[in-house]
Amino acid sequence: MVEELVTTGVALASAGAVYLVAAARVVKQYERGVVLRLGRLASEVRGPGFTMIVPGIDRMRKVNMQIVTMPVPAQEGITRDNVTVRVDAVVYFKVVDAADAVIRVEDYRFAVSQMAQTSLRSIIGKSELDDLLSNREKLNQGLELMMDSPAIGWGVTVDRVEIKDVSLPETMKRSMARQAEATRDRRARVINADAELQASKKLAEAAAAMSDQPAALQLRLLQTVVAVAAEKNSTLVLPFPVELLRFLERSGLQAQAQTAAAEAERGAAQRPAAPAPEASHGAVEEGALPPELEDLPEAEDLP
């Protein structure tokens, strides 16, 4: 009799241990437990910690409440300005209602992924290429609004959507590179022309100042020689002032006029004395020129 009682007690303890093991559940801090009792949703969602269910009657499904980072595969589409692009993105979402995430949708992760792909294709078709490249913040907000509306009914909320990369065809890349190069070339030419205009105004002012003070030109010449000599070149370039050339040319013409006057004077002295030649000789002595030299330009009129 005692042996039967002991056997029965051991059997009950074993059954209780097996029941306890089968009924015991542990829900982690970032999870929630959704219990289905005979196929019906239990009244409450089990929170984190130790909990018990009825084996064979209850079934618990744990739902992760953490923010999920889901990459969206690259989608190829045509923009509003007829450019073929490939765009990929990333979605950040989390479950806010564990019961809705289990009851209202079969697989909320797959549903969010498909919705993200279709929304991304829709955004590509509504946007232009410049918006995809430079105005991504606005597109990200549009994607978030498009995805958040249906996701609320699944117990899911979309925290953020980011467009990661926009892939362009090689022909479009080359065209954009040529456009950027042409734009920079235009800016460089405009800046260079502006610099030339300002430099010409300053040079005109400097020329006006030097025309009043000829010594300033000589000082500028000496500064140029010093600047060239500082480079330690084997060849020294010495600029020759144009004013000096004009002075030498003027002096040569004056010497030629004086020589012609002297020759005319000697020729008049060798002829017989006559009233007319004496008058002519007197005119030469007073500084008059012979008729053949009267057409020569004056030294002051030379360029």
Side-chain angles (χ1 to χ4, degrees):
M1 185 66 181
V2 176
E3 293 180 356
E4 292 179 356
L5 292 176
V6 172
T7 303
T8 303
V10 171
L12 291 176
S14 299
V18 171
Y19 178 83
L20 182 62
V21 172
R25 294 289 186 274
V26 176
V27 181
K28 298 179 181 180
Q29 181 65 38
Y30 55 85
E31 294 177 337
R32 297 294 182 270
V34 180
V35 179
L36 298 176
R37 180 167 296 170
L38 297 177
R40 295 174 63 88
L41 178 65
S43 59
E44 62 181 59
V45 176
R46 306 296 175 86
F50 181 80
T51 185
M52 297 287 291
I53 63 173
V54 180
I57 298 177
D58 294 344
R59 296 186 60 183
M60 177 182 286
R61 182 174 175 181
K62 299 177 181 179
V63 180
N64 193 335
M65 306 296 289
Q66 292 176 314
I67 295 177
V68 181
T69 303
M70 177 179 293
V72 181
Q75 302 297 311
E76 185 172 356
I78 300 177
T79 60
R80 193 166 60 180
D81 50 354
N82 299 325
V83 179
T84 303
V85 295
R86 289 177 60 88
V87 182
D88 57 353
V90 59
V91 181
Y92 302 90
F93 69 94
K94 66 179 179 179
V95 178
V96 293
D97 193 334
D100 290 342
V102 174
I103 300 301
R104 295 192 176 186
V105 63
E106 180 181 3
D107 187 351
Y108 67 89
R109 289 176 177 266
F110 181 75
V112 171
S113 176
Q114 296 299 314
M115 183 177 57
Q117 295 181 33
T118 55
S119 301
L120 185 58
R121 284 178 174 270
S122 178
I123 285 293
I124 292 174
K126 295 179 181 179
S127 306
E128 295 184 356
L129 180 60
D130 293 339
D131 295 333
L132 290 175
L133 296 177
S134 60
N135 197 12
R136 294 188 181 182
E137 188 66 27
K138 183 178 179 181
L139 298 180
N140 293 338
Q141 294 177 0
L143 277 173
E144 182 178 347
L145 291 176
M146 292 178 65
M147 295 178 59
D148 196 32
S149 299
I152 292 177
W154 305 336
V156 177
T157 179
V158 178
D159 285 349
R160 193 168 185 176
V161 183
E162 292 286 345
I163 295 176
K164 291 197 301 182
D165 187 25
V166 179
S167 300
L168 301 176
E170 293 297 328
T171 55
M172 180 57 65
K173 291 181 180 179
R174 290 194 292 268
S175 299
M176 294 177 67
R178 290 195 298 268
Q179 180 183 1
E181 184 178 358
T183 302
R184 292 183 178 274
D185 189 18
R186 179 179 62 84
R187 291 179 182 176
R189 291 186 178 183
V190 170
I191 293 173
N192 190 19
D194 191 13
E196 291 292 339
L197 178 60
Q198 296 180 7
S200 62
K201 292 181 180 179
K202 294 298 181 181
L203 289 175
E205 294 177 1
M210 289 183 180
S211 62
D212 296 336
Q213 298 292 335
L217 183 60
Q218 300 299 326
L219 294 176
R220 181 57 184 161
L221 175 61
L222 295 177
Q223 291 179 357
T224 304
V225 173
V226 172
V228 173
E231 298 294 333
K232 298 181 180 180
N233 296 325
S234 59
T235 303
L236 180 61
V237 179
L238 183 61
F240 204 73
V242 180
E243 285 75 8
L244 184 58
L245 294 177
R246 292 177 178 176
F247 174 76
L248 295 176
E249 184 178 3
R250 191 182 301 114
S251 300
L253 291 176
Q254 290 179 356
Q256 183 179 1
Q258 292 177 0
T259 303
E263 290 179 354
E265 183 179 356
R266 286 197 301 270
Q270 292 176 0
R271 294 194 194 97
E278 288 179 358
S280 175
H281 180 69
V284 172
E285 289 179 350
E286 293 177 358
L289 296 178
E292 61 271 12
L293 297 179
E294 289 180 357
D295 295 333
L296 289 177
E298 296 294 334
E300 291 76 5
D301 297 335
L302 293 176

